[in-house]
Amino acid sequence: MIYRREIDGLRAAAVIPVILFHAGFSVFSGGFIGVDVFFVISGFLITSIILEEMGNGTFSLAAFYERRARRLLPALFLVVLCCLPFAWLCVMPEEFRAFSDSLIATSLSGANFLFWFKSDYFAPEAGEVPLLHIWSLAVEEQYYMFFPLLVLFMWKRKPNWLFAILVAIACASLAYSEWASRVFPSANFYFLPSRAWEFLAGSICSLVQLKGQRRGNDPLSLLGFGMIAVSIFYFDETSAIPSTLALVPVVGAMLVLLYARQGTWVAALLSTPAFTMVGQISYSAYLWHQPLFAFARIRSIDPPSLAVMGALACLSLVLAYVSWRFVEQPFRRGERRLLPSTRSLVASVSLVLAALIAFGIYGHDTRGIPWRLPAPIKEFMADNDWSKTCLLEGASGWDAMPIEECVFNGSHAQTYAILGDSLASSLTPALAKRLDGLNIGLQQITHSFCAPVADVSMVPHQARDCGAFNAAAIDYLVKSKVKTVFLAASWKIFFEQPRYLFKGEEVATSDVGQRLRDAFDKTVGALTSAGIRVVIVYPHPRGDTEIAAKVAKLMHKGTPAPTITIAQDEFLEQSSLSYAYLDDPKDRHVLRVDPARIFCGREAGRCDLARDGKTFIFDKVHFTPAGAEAVADEILAALRRDDMVDGNGVAALSSD
């Protein structure tokens, strides 16, 4: 295949926006579409190589996969191995367990499945996931598993049909991505069926080029380059990618591949030494940038400045050159390459993969290898971890209520219940302990991602069963002898979702305001109409980084009793939407407990997340035991005031 410098330049134009987007430079709000451009380039080059070798009669599947392994794996293994000591030293147990999971998924070419299940690509916390970007490499590897087989099959049987078949599959994939972007947006982002058309767009360019050498065309190549630029600067995280909207950067990349020939303005730009050099090291640059950014965010007490992130972006290019020069090239060059025989390559790759998988399994099974941390830090993190006891996940475990093992102090004559998501789970032990002192039991009815709102769930996969869970829970409670129910959840997260499922129908945020109010009113009304007193636990101050980890870092650096606060105005602004929804039910059986009364005001205009080494929030959301105890005390105070007003507990406590 004839080398085209402008294709390396196009790689540079794709990788730099991705790096700067992940660094947090808002002007590159659509920088993530660089991955889509990479997919087009990959489809073009792979198809061109396969067709050229098939035309020469030299194509071999074994040789093809060996070349892919030599191209992708050495630099990937280097970066992953370099991540290990930083993760070992800097990452707290729960995050280290997640990192261990990513090692396994990366080794099995399934990182896209893991991150679909675990991580929202655009969530703030995704910036602290060192191997998040490997999802795209997994998609590419999965594409390589199937595409050569398809081409080989068609070439031997109906070579003249190949173009039509690829166009048909691409159209089907594009149509699927448009549908899935509305129904399953997270899976749509991460999975090959939604991305295949982007690779095939490059393959189609290769076939078009094969039928007749294209001449350079300034208007078309400029149009293509402009379409990519528009995508980079005008798309953002709300853009439905991939979908028909992704035709903008994908068709742009196709036009550049077909018409940016030497002699055109775009080719002249992309063929400059700066572009071609960055293009040559683009794969390594892509591998290095996310771990650098993630560990900087993990290690920093506060979010790193743009200046720091810019410096790390430059460092990623330096490391990329080193790994390209001393790792990528030695494994790929002709007779003098490292591990020259296929057998030695397979043995070495197998050994590294086995070691990474084994280490990942160990990290997962030990819940993040907590013993690697200094003893005081290890004890601090263990003492402040939030309770996951009786926190259900998936579609099982709640067929029969009450769940026997989730009834605390059940020997008491009177029993209350707490209904909600993982935040409610973190509150339960302290609340159960306080109620036990009043001879009251507590039933825990909690499910991950399930805010206690009837008929509504968030879109992510983990929340898909919330509608059925909440319906079962509410149906049980209204028929039970429980007369007080606490509703607690990560309200800010729930009420700020981009999309919701209402009885299985996915609806965008712009259309849900009144429907959410009605659903929450219905939930509260169903309980109060059964004579149940409802206690709504309002939002609490939350951090932009993991609070217990931040306190641990400060302690590790010599600050014995750190205090971490946020501005009260910032907290009120964060929570205003949640307050508006939670204030809506007007039933007299409703009490409102506002944690802001506990955590805000000790320092003028500030809200405590940790005070004098006492940590109230574990990560960004969940209560530590100390935080849960403080909220439980406030709940009991509210109950006592209510009982003083009316012995039957029928009174309202304002959140004012």
Side-chain angles (χ1 to χ4, degrees):
M1 181 179 173
I2 299 173
Y3 173 67
R4 290 175 56 188
R5 294 193 303 275
E6 62 273 14
I7 294 181
D8 271 335
L10 184 58
R11 282 181 169 137
V15 76
I16 293 299
V18 174
I19 292 173
L20 295 178
F21 169 76
H22 286 152
F25 288 88
S26 58
V27 68
F28 293 88
S29 59
F32 57 90
I33 64 91
V35 172
D36 302 70
V37 176
F38 268 125
F39 288 164
V40 179
I41 297 171
S42 180
F44 175 80
L45 294 175
I46 291 302
T47 305
S48 298
I49 292 169
I50 291 174
L51 293 179
E52 181 177 313
E53 292 185 350
M54 284 185 172
N56 297 334
T58 59
F59 179 75
S60 160
L61 276 175
F64 171 82
Y65 289 124
E66 179 180 350
R67 285 199 305 270
R68 290 298 88 205
R70 290 183 179 278
R71 170 76 174 97
L72 299 176
L73 296 182
L76 174 63
F77 288 164
L78 172 67
V79 171
V80 170
L81 292 172
C82 286
C83 286
L84 292 177
F86 291 95
W88 185 273
L89 295 172
C90 302
V91 177
M92 295 299 147
E94 195 63 29
E95 291 69 42
F96 194 90
R97 190 185 196 193
F99 174 74
S100 300
D101 292 341
S102 69
L103 290 179
I104 300 170
T106 297
S107 301
L108 298 175
S109 298
N112 55 331
F113 292 96
L114 174 71
F115 293 126
W116 162 69
F117 189 74
K118 295 285 189 180
S119 300
D120 178 354
Y121 182 80
F122 297 104
E125 56 268 22
E128 297 182 10
V129 181
L131 298 180
L132 176 66
H133 61 320
I134 302 302
W135 75 267
S136 64
L137 187 58
V139 173
E140 190 167 355
E141 290 168 346
Q142 291 157 21
Y143 180 76
Y144 292 154
M145 293 176 190
F146 299 107
F147 181 73
L149 298 175
L150 172 63
V151 176
L152 186 60
F153 177 82
M154 294 303 302
W155 188 269
K156 289 184 176 180
R157 285 163 175 78
K158 296 286 185 179
N160 294 333
W161 288 20
L162 179 60
F163 183 81
I165 291 294
L166 295 185
V167 170
I169 296 174
C171 290
S173 173
L174 174 60
Y176 172 78
S177 72
E178 176 64 25
W179 172 78
S181 69
R182 305 168 189 272
V183 182
F184 305 113
S186 182
N188 181 62
F189 184 87
Y190 282 116
F191 288 171
L192 177 60
S194 305
R195 297 285 185 173
W197 69 273
E198 298 179 328
F199 291 98
L200 292 170
S203 300
I204 291 167
C205 289
S206 176
L207 286 165
V208 169
Q209 176 182 269
L210 188 66
K211 291 183 177 182
Q213 204 69 19
R214 288 281 180 249
R215 295 184 178 181
N217 186 304
D218 269 321
L220 289 177
S221 59
L222 282 170
L223 174 61
F225 196 69
M227 292 169 74
I228 296 172
V230 166
S231 304
I232 291 169
F233 295 113
Y234 287 96
F235 286 11
D236 60 28
E237 62 187 46
T238 66
S239 304
I241 299 294
S243 68
T244 51
L245 185 62
L247 285 168
V248 179
V250 169
V251 172
M254 294 175 73
L255 291 174
V256 172
L257 289 171
L258 289 173
Y259 296 106
R261 301 286 176 164
Q262 290 302 313
T264 61
W265 295 334
V266 172
L269 172 65
L270 297 178
S271 299
T272 57
F275 271 91
T276 55
M277 186 68 251
V278 173
Q280 288 174 346
I281 64 173
S282 59
Y283 174 60
S284 281
Y286 183 77
L287 290 178
W288 280 111
H289 81 280
Q290 176 68 9
L292 288 174
F293 296 164
F295 287 120
R297 291 179 174 118
I298 291 168
R299 191 71 182 92
S300 299
I301 300 301
D302 295 305
S305 67
L306 285 180
V308 170
M309 300 305 284
L312 291 173
C314 294
L315 178 60
S316 71
L317 297 180
V318 174
L319 292 174
Y321 176 79
V322 173
S323 58
W324 172 78
R325 175 68 177 82
F326 297 105
V327 178
E328 285 191 60
Q329 292 299 303
F331 275 94
R332 297 177 65 194
R333 62 194 176 200
E335 297 179 355
R336 300 175 57 192
R337 65 189 182 187
L338 295 176
L339 301 178
S341 70
T342 302
R343 180 176 296 180
S344 62
L345 179 69
V346 170
S348 300
V349 167
S350 300
L351 181 63
V352 175
L353 290 176
L356 291 176
I357 292 171
F359 185 82
I361 292 172
Y362 179 66
H364 178 90
D365 288 348
T366 58
R367 302 188 67 86
I369 320 180
W371 55 261
R372 65 196 160 79
L373 299 171
I377 302 300
K378 180 174 63 176
E379 292 170 6
F380 172 83
M381 294 300 295
D383 291 343
N384 284 280
D385 201 356
W386 61 281
S387 173
K388 304 170 187 68
T389 301
C390 286
L391 179 61
L392 302 175
E393 296 181 350
S396 61
W398 40 271
D399 300 334
M401 294 189 186
I403 304 168
E404 185 175 342
E405 61 270 24
C406 301
V407 179
F408 303 98
N409 312 311
S411 59
H412 295 310
Q414 190 175 12
T415 302
Y416 292 174
I418 183 167
L419 175 62
D421 61 8
S422 56
L423 182 128
S425 178
S426 72
L427 178 59
T428 297
L431 185 57
K433 183 178 179 181
R434 295 295 192 268
L435 290 173
D436 186 35
L438 300 176
N439 297 318
I440 300 171
L442 181 66
Q443 297 184 22
Q444 180 179 345
I445 309 173
T446 56
H447 189 298
S448 289
F449 294 89
C450 294
V453 182
D455 303 328
V456 186
S457 65
M458 299 185 291
V459 170
H461 172 79
Q462 303 95 321
R464 290 278 166 162
D465 299 304
C466 291
F469 169 78
N470 282 325
I474 294 168
D475 181 65
Y476 159 70
L477 288 169
V478 298
K479 296 175 182 177
S480 72
K481 296 181 180 180
V482 172
K483 293 304 177 186
T484 297
V485 172
F486 307 99
L487 302 182
S490 304
W491 298 115
K492 181 182 185 298
I493 294 174
F494 177 76
F495 286 124
E496 294 182 2
Q497 289 295 299
R499 305 184 74 82
Y500 296 88
L501 288 175
F502 286 85
K503 295 183 177 179
E505 175 194 1
E506 186 167 340
V507 183
T509 300
S510 56
D511 303 321
V512 302
Q514 189 56 49
R515 294 180 71 173
L516 280 176
R517 284 188 172 84
D518 292 343
F520 188 59
D521 286 351
K522 177 182 176 181
T523 304
V524 174
L527 296 170
T528 57
S529 64
I532 296 173
R533 173 173 57 176
V534 174
V535 181
I536 303 173
V537 181
Y538 270 53
H540 60 80
R542 47 181 286 149
D544 58 359
T545 59
E546 300 205 352
I547 304 306
K550 188 173 184 178
V551 172
K553 291 173 192 174
L554 288 167
M555 293 170 61
H556 194 44
K557 290 183 175 182
T559 304
T563 292
I564 300 172
T565 65
I566 64 168
Q568 189 168 1
D569 289 344
E570 179 184 348
F571 160 66
L572 293 174
E573 182 180 351
Q574 287 177 355
S575 307
S576 59
L577 183 62
S578 299
Y579 272 71
Y581 283 114
L582 300 177
D583 285 343
D584 199 54
K586 299 299 190 290
D587 197 293
R588 292 179 61 250
H589 288 68
V590 177
L591 304 183
R592 292 175 167 86
V593 174
D594 191 349
R597 292 177 170 175
I598 316 162
F599 299 123
C600 301
R602 182 168 179 178
E603 181 181 336
R606 308 292 297 180
C607 296
D608 289 349
L609 303 172
R611 170 68 60 176
D612 298 329
K614 189 176 185 180
T615 305
F616 304 118
I617 310 300
F618 181 76
D619 36 36
K620 299 178 183 180
V621 176
H622 301 98
F623 294 119
T624 64
E629 288 169 2
V631 176
D633 287 339
E634 184 68 13
I635 289 172
L636 260 62
L639 294 175
R640 291 192 185 99
R641 289 195 295 269
D642 182 51
D643 291 338
M644 290 174 62
V645 173
D646 187 325
N648 293 320
V650 182
L653 177 67
S654 171
S655 62
D656 296 335

